[in-house]
């Protein structure tokens, strides 16, 4: 049972490049989330999907887009990367009103 | 809006010392409260939770009690080990979609 998986683990981009972070869960959860973690800031919610077919903005959505491809998969896209998007990105999933399960993270550096 | 405040770190303790990490919250309604732990290079793992006032969450020797009157959820452990060295996050979930609001995290370093 893999839980929540994320790819890639590490990525270096140049300013202006685009990329998609992939996330998949095998727990049949309805809700999925994308967070970014920055030193001294804790985790901040970028986007979430309460159920398949729906997505909503979180606290820091600017510069990102998401796609809930199906119940298992939730991707995060950076269309034009900026140095301010250097961070560690975590995907999580949950069943409504229950705890969230986190993936191992993607460490992204934008130069 | 919702917010979580936890004590600044790092917290450095000797093995077998008593641990307290303070956490207070502001929320509308009746939130669920969580402690997550992040070991170096890993994602967050749920440590314990409490879903209503006066509930006590416990796991691996850690405990926290949901105190509505003081809006607090302090994490305690009677005797820490080197393997407890990690970053600890207090979080709350309120309203729809089970969105989590996190504190900034407290780094714990336990030495021999």
């Amino acid at each position: 049972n893999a839980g929540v998986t994320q790819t890639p683990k590490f990525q270096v981009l140049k300013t202006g490049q685009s990329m998609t972070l992939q996330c998949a869960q095998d727990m049949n959860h309805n809700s999925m989330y994308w967070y970014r973690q920055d030193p001294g800031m804790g985790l901040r919610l970028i986007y979430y999907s309460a159920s398949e077919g729906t997505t909503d903005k979180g606290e820091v959505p600017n510069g990102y887009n998401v796609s809930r491809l199906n119940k298992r998969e939730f991707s995060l896209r950076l269309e034009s990367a900026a140095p301010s998007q250097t961070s560690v990105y975590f995907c999580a999933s949950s069943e409504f009103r229950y705890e969230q399960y986190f993936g191992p993270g993607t460490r992204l550096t934008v130069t | 809006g919702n917010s979580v405040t936890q004590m600044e770190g790092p917290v450095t303790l000797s093995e077998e010392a008593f641990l307290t990490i303070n956490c207070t919250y502001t929320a509308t309604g009746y939130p669920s409260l969580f402690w997550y732990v992040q070991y170096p290079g890993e994602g967050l793992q749920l440590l314990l939770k409490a879903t209503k006032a006066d509930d006590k969450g416990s796991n691996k020797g850690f405990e926290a009690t949901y105190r509505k009157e003081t809006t607090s959820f302090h994490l305690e452990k009677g005797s820490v080990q080197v393997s407890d060295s990690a970053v600890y996050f207090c979080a709350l979930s309120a309203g729809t979609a089970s969105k989590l609001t996190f504190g900034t995290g407290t780094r714990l370093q336990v030495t021999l």
Side-chain angles (χ1 to χ4, degrees):
Chain A
N1 196 344
V4 179
T5 57
Q6 293 182 235
T7 55
K9 288 193 182 334
F10 301 94
Q11 184 72 49
V12 179
L13 292 178
K14 293 188 187 323
T15 298
Q17 288 185 318
S18 62
M19 78 162 295
T20 300
L21 281 64
Q22 307 286 355
C23 174
Q25 53 94 6
D26 63 3
M27 294 172 282
N28 202 36
H29 287 161
N30 281 302
S31 301
M32 297 186 74
Y33 313 82
W34 277 106
Y35 295 89
R36 59 178 290 172
Q37 182 179 27
D38 302 293
M41 303 286 289
L43 277 79
R44 293 180 292 170
L45 183 65
I46 305 171
Y47 270 93
Y48 66 99
S49 171
S51 61
E52 187 179 354
T54 69
T55 60
D56 284 287
K57 294 178 181 179
E59 184 183 353
V60 289
N62 291 346
Y64 305 96
N65 285 300
V66 291
S67 295
R68 184 73 183 267
L69 305 169
N70 47 56
K71 192 171 185 180
R72 289 187 65 247
E73 298 172 289
F74 188 40
S75 62
L76 178 72
R77 183 160 178 83
L78 286 70
E79 290 291 352
S80 179
S84 60
Q85 294 178 305
T86 294
S87 188
V88 182
Y89 291 85
F90 289 100
C91 178
S93 71
S94 76
E95 204 43 61
F96 182 63
R97 293 192 183 279
Y98 288 87
E99 62 267 25
Q100 293 184 18
Y101 292 83
F102 285 79
T106 295
R107 188 173 295 275
L108 174 67
T109 302
V110 183
T111 61
Chain B
N2 300 329
S3 67
V4 175
T5 302
Q6 57 181 112
M7 59 191 291
E8 294 271 339
V11 173
T12 303
L13 295 173
S14 298
E15 201 170 47
E16 299 184 0
F18 185 86
L19 169 71
T20 301
I21 300 178
N22 290 337
C23 172
T24 57
Y25 67 90
T26 302
T28 54
Y30 301 95
S32 295
L33 301 174
F34 305 86
W35 277 101
Y36 281 84
V37 58
Q38 184 179 32
Y39 297 104
E42 298 184 11
L44 277 71
Q45 304 173 26
L46 179 68
L47 181 59
L48 54 84
K49 67 177 181 180
T51 57
K52 61 183 188 296
D54 300 324
D55 268 2
K56 178 186 283 188
S58 61
N59 186 25
K60 300 181 182 179
F62 291 89
E63 293 183 339
T65 301
Y66 188 148
R67 301 284 188 203
K68 194 169 188 300
E69 64 275 13
T70 54
T71 61
S72 65
F73 193 54
H74 304 322
L75 182 68
E76 296 182 336
K77 187 175 186 184
S79 176
V80 294
Q81 306 298 313
V82 172
S83 57
D84 294 326
S85 298
V87 181
Y88 292 82
F89 291 92
C90 186
L92 68 82
S93 175
T96 60
S98 302
K99 292 186 291 180
L100 284 174
T101 300
F102 284 90
T104 53
T106 302
R107 182 176 299 278
L108 170 65
Q109 181 72 40
V110 180
T111 59
L112 289 171

